[in-house]
Amino acid sequence: MSSLPSLRRKIHRRFLMIIALYGVLGFALVTSVFFASGTTPKLLHLNYDSISVSNQMKETINALEHPQIYPSKSLPEWTEQFEKALEFEERNITEPGEKELVTKIRTSWDAARKSVGTPTATSFHPILLDLDELVKINERGMFKLAQENETLNRQVIIGSVVYFIISLLLAAFIADGLADRLASPLKSIAEALHQRPSFSRKLRLPDPTSLEMFVLSAELYRLFERLAQSEKVNVAEIVQQKLKLETVLESIEDALVFLDLDQKVSHCNVRLSTIVGLTESQIQGQLWRDLPSVSDNYLKLRELLKDDLRQGQEIEFEVGSGKFQYSARSRDILTFGDSAGPGATGGVKLGTLFLLHDITEKRHREKFRSDFMDLLSHELKTPLQSLGIASQLLIEEKDKLPKEMGILAETISEDVERIRAVAQEFVQVTFNQTKILKLQFQLVPLSQTLPEWLKPFYVLGRDRQVKVEFLNEGSEMIWANLDSTKFPWVISNLVSNAIRFSPPSSTVRVVLTDRNGAVEMQVKDEGSGIPEQDQKHIFDPFFQGSASVLPGQRGLFGIGLTIAKDVVEAHDGRIEYYPRLPQGSEFRIILPFPPLHYGVVPS
């Protein structure tokens, strides 16, 4: 094993070669750019300075020729400026012929100064010509530097491209050799494993060519032996898991049957076999359409459970001495664990699972509810007519009544109208055989409206020696999307119940808040509360609790809370009950926030 070369060392060497190739390329590029960016700008700057100084000397000569146009300086000052500029140019020689031309300008300038003491206009003309020539020399130098720089850049780019192509070919050649060294032994091992050697035989792999391949081969041999040893254990576990799965399927309340692609029954549970009147052994492995049964239940199922089954289709069976209703569903079972929902595309279909859900109790509840609505609408009709007439008479005599009695008269009239609208809704629900209340939603400022709904209960509470309080523990303005006719009846029902069952000198609190993404109303009292065994049934219609109602009361216990629950749920909310300690009850109404947009609720 120690004589085998290390694959890591081979890879390391090859990558060092690639890094060296591109390192040389990078160094050459950086060097070229450094020299090009350092020399050329410096020379250009010197040429530009020479041109600038030449223009400055020309300006000085113009000032000496025409002093009346340049009054900013005196003639000696202009002469001194020319002298300084000429001295700078003598130190800034960069181009061929520039030195001779500067010497000539110096000679002409000195001669002009010596002739009279101060330069005259007649001696300026040769100097101006020489200055023009000096500007041209430096301009030609700048253009030449630009051309040379462009040529250098082009040469660097061409050289870099050529070197890059050569290094790329060399890198590809190195990478191909490295890939072959890596892939060949792995391919040989993969081909050996692709033959799917039997666990009963010894695994044979190609001889390793590197230290790492030797380690890999040794681990594969060891893994193969472990797999061979665990195969028997896995078979036993699969059998055990199958038994567990069958136990789970048998415990499902729904009746189920799984048909494979040949329409044979791969599995069914006890509930299904009970419906068709056969044992599981008589059903398993048989064609679904050829089961040894002539019962009406089986014939109905045989016609129902097909590929074109309409999801949720209902069917009725006679089992024993009773009739049961089921809702039928189907689902395609696919391979690779893909769920077979609508539009499923992945995997291969293995068969179809049919489920029959028992909805007998649900249909009984719906019938019970319908009967309840019939009874309620009938019971409300006659007393509402009498209450309407009485409230109308009270309103006509309101001015003759005390102030508090007038408030009660208005409240009675409003509640009668509200109850009449709700009762009419119940009648429509009964006639139309629908279970959905029709609501007229509008944006209601509960912070202001809820106290108005509670006004008559202040008077009622005072008569019962019960204090009624309203608390806003949320935002200053809380809005809700409500039916302003039906929803106040919920508050009225809860508050009136709280007052009715509260002892004297106690307090009923109505709390409004907005938290956790919802609007919440709480009605709290200090009464005796509801017994624990009755709490889960208080919203059921016609429920007669263990606690008796007050003497002299008419009607059915639990009707008001049932209606309140229906109205709240029709608002996409929920109503909950919580016992209070040491005594008392708390009802919570939780509604979703309205979809506010600049103060408007979208329709």
Side-chain angles (χ1 to χ4, degrees), residues 59 82 215 226 234 257 388 441 462:
E59 180 188 15
F82 187 93
V215 175
R226 291 178 60 186
N234 290 338
V257 57
F441 286 100
R462 186 165 60 248

Side-chain angles (χ1 to χ4, degrees), residues 20-239:
L21 287 173
Y22 287 98
V24 172
L25 174 62
F27 179 77
L29 288 175
V30 171
T31 303
S32 301
V33 171
F34 174 78
F35 284 107
S37 61
T39 304
T40 302
K42 181 178 180 181
L43 294 175
L44 289 174
H45 180 69
L46 294 176
N47 287 333
Y48 178 79
D49 289 344
S50 297
I51 294 173
S52 178
V53 168
S54 299
N55 290 329
Q56 188 178 358
M57 288 188 289
K58 290 169 66 176
E59 180 188 15
T60 303
I61 291 176
N62 290 329
L64 293 174
E65 286 184 341
H66 309 285
Q68 68 278 6
I69 301 177
Y70 300 91
S72 59
K73 295 180 182 180
S74 61
L75 291 180
E77 289 176 341
W78 286 112
T79 302
E80 183 180 0
Q81 176 176 312
F82 187 93
E83 183 65 29
K84 290 181 179 179
L86 183 58
E87 291 176 355
F88 176 83
E89 179 58 25
E90 289 174 342
R91 298 190 302 270
N92 194 42
I93 304 298
T94 59
E95 300 298 327
E98 185 177 3
K99 182 176 181 181
E100 293 79 4
L101 189 59
V102 172
T103 302
K104 182 178 178 182
I105 293 173
R106 166 60 72 181
T107 302
S108 301
W109 172 254
D110 290 341
R113 292 185 62 183
K114 291 178 180 179
S115 60
V116 185
T118 300
T120 60
T122 55
S123 60
F124 294 153
H125 184 66
I127 296 175
L128 288 174
L129 294 177
D130 292 337
L131 288 174
D132 290 338
E133 184 63 25
L134 182 62
V135 171
K136 292 179 181 179
I137 289 176
N138 282 280
E139 287 178 347
R140 285 195 298 270
M142 292 177 67
F143 294 147
K144 181 179 178 182
L145 285 173
Q147 292 176 353
E148 290 177 351
N149 187 52
E150 182 179 359
T151 302
L152 177 61
N153 290 337
R154 189 181 294 110
Q155 292 174 351
V156 170
I157 292 174
I158 294 174
S160 300
V161 170
V162 172
Y163 185 85
F164 178 76
I165 293 174
I166 295 174
S167 61
L168 185 63
L169 293 175
L170 290 174
F173 177 76
I174 294 172
D176 182 68
L178 182 60
D180 183 66
R181 287 181 176 273
L182 289 173
S184 294
L186 294 177
K187 181 180 179 183
S188 300
I189 293 176
E191 290 175 348
L193 295 176
H194 185 69
Q195 300 299 324
R196 295 185 179 180
S198 174
F199 289 116
S200 60
R201 298 180 182 179
K202 187 177 181 180
L203 180 64
R204 297 186 61 86
L205 297 177
D207 295 333
T209 58
S210 64
L211 180 60
E212 288 80 4
M213 297 308 299
F214 178 84
V215 175
L216 177 61
S217 298
E219 290 298 324
L220 288 175
Y221 281 125
R222 191 176 297 109
L223 178 61
F224 186 81
E225 292 177 0
R226 291 178 60 186
L227 290 174
Q229 294 173 359
S230 63
E231 182 182 19
K232 296 180 180 180
V233 178
N234 290 338
V235 171
E237 289 181 353
I238 290 173
V239 173

